[in-house]
Amino acid sequence: MLRIGHRPVRDHRVTTHVGLVARAFGADGIILEEHVEKSVIETLLETAKRWGGPFEVRVTDSPRREVFTWKKGGGVIVHLTMYGINIQSSNIVERIRRRENPLLIVVGGKKVPRWMYQAADYNVAIGNQPHSEIAALAVFLDRLFGGEELIREYRNAAIKVIPSPRDKIVRRLDSEKRRGGPSNTG
Ligand code: SAM
């Protein structure tokens, strides 16, 4: 996915959470603008290292170029915006899923440039009310993957949660597992 419109300092936490949600809800990676704070990138990389991946983080000096390069390569652009086609009152997710081309999902910040609306193959609204890039991304990915992303196993994780109704149980995975060996959970 691609996050545009990051405002240094002010959006530090929001952009971090966009990245965390992207990873936890099934995206393969995130492209950030080059002025995003190093600490945002470090948090995302550290999370992927501890909790598993794959999850790629990279920066760009031109989000516009990323979008057009992606399109040229046969990829599909989905831009999440309150002005788009309402996800609930259309079959837009089914149409996107059927395309099978690599998806680049874009979320914005305060103001998204006009070219983004034109370049997108799909401008998708998670309802037509203003809310948040974090919420929009979570809902879109969950609809796209039909909830399957929530039970996905992450590769090369150093730790994982053992679900529990009452306790906080975290299992440290052995180095064999981290190298792709048999699971020691159960
Ligand atoms: N007026 C903005 C817009 O174009 O959606 C709201 C800006 S909002 C603070 C930042 C980002 O959140 C937007 O660029 C968009 O990606 C996402 N967003 C907010 N509300 C949304 C909605 N209802 N549907 C889809 N995305 C939304």
Side-chain angles (χ1 to χ4, degrees), residues 89-185:
S89 55
S90 69
N91 64 350
I92 199 160
V93 171
E94 288 72 25
R95 276 165 38 214
I96 293 168
R97 227 190 260 125
R98 261 188 254 128
R99 295 282 295 261
E100 287 184 1
N101 315 56
L103 284 190
L104 183 65
I105 301 160
V106 185
V107 296
K110 196 165 164 48
K111 194 158 167 50
V112 173
R114 188 75 207 148
W115 63 262
M116 190 60 244
Y117 294 82
Q118 306 299 325
D121 296 287
Y122 303 94
N123 287 293
V124 180
I126 312 299
N128 297 107
Q129 301 296 321
H131 47 82
S132 133
E133 48 272 57
I134 304 168
L137 182 64
V139 171
F140 180 77
L141 288 173
D142 192 59
R143 296 278 181 105
L144 183 70
F145 294 125
E148 289 296 314
E149 78 286 0
L150 301 179
I151 51 170
R152 166 184 170 190
E153 285 289 331
Y154 286 80
R155 288 207 302 270
N156 297 320
I159 52 176
K160 74 180 273 188
V161 168
I162 307 301
S164 161
R166 296 275 181 278
D167 300 307
K168 282 169 68 175
I169 308 174
V170 175
R171 172 158 290 170
R172 271 160 221 294
L173 302 169
D174 60 27
S175 51
E176 187 188 4
K177 163 112 177 145
R178 290 177 66 184
R179 284 196 302 271
S183 168
N184 66 348
T185 59

Side-chain angles (χ1 to χ4, degrees), residues 2-119:
L2 170 67
R3 195 280 197 266
I4 60 176
H6 173 87
R7 294 163 297 177
V9 183
R10 206 175 151 168
D11 287 336
H12 182 278
R13 193 168 156 83
V14 172
T15 298
T16 303
H17 283 207
V18 165
L20 293 174
V21 163
R23 178 188 161 277
F25 285 74
D28 296 329
I30 187 167
I31 307 170
L32 299 166
E33 293 158 311
E34 62 180 353
H35 58 267
V36 166
E37 294 87 341
K38 247 175 127 184
S39 54
V40 172
I41 295 163
E42 282 163 5
T43 299
L44 298 179
L45 290 175
E46 182 55 27
T47 303
K49 193 172 163 201
R50 292 187 76 210
W51 294 93
F55 192 71
E56 186 192 340
V57 182
R58 68 177 176 86
V59 294
T60 182
D61 61 356
S62 171
R64 195 171 196 273
R65 193 184 60 237
E66 297 291 339
V67 166
F68 285 99
T69 305
W70 195 275
K71 280 170 79 81
K72 245 193 205 151
V76 170
I77 309 293
V78 174
H79 169 223
L80 300 181
T81 168
M82 63 186 277
Y83 303 106
I85 302 298
N86 193 307
I87 196 167
Q88 189 65 21
S89 55
S90 69
N91 64 350
I92 199 160
V93 171
E94 288 72 25
R95 276 165 38 214
I96 293 168
R97 227 190 260 125
R98 261 188 254 128
R99 295 282 295 261
E100 287 184 1
N101 315 56
L103 284 190
L104 183 65
I105 301 160
V106 185
V107 296
K110 196 165 164 48
K111 194 158 167 50
V112 173
R114 188 75 207 148
W115 63 262
M116 190 60 244
Y117 294 82
Q118 306 299 325

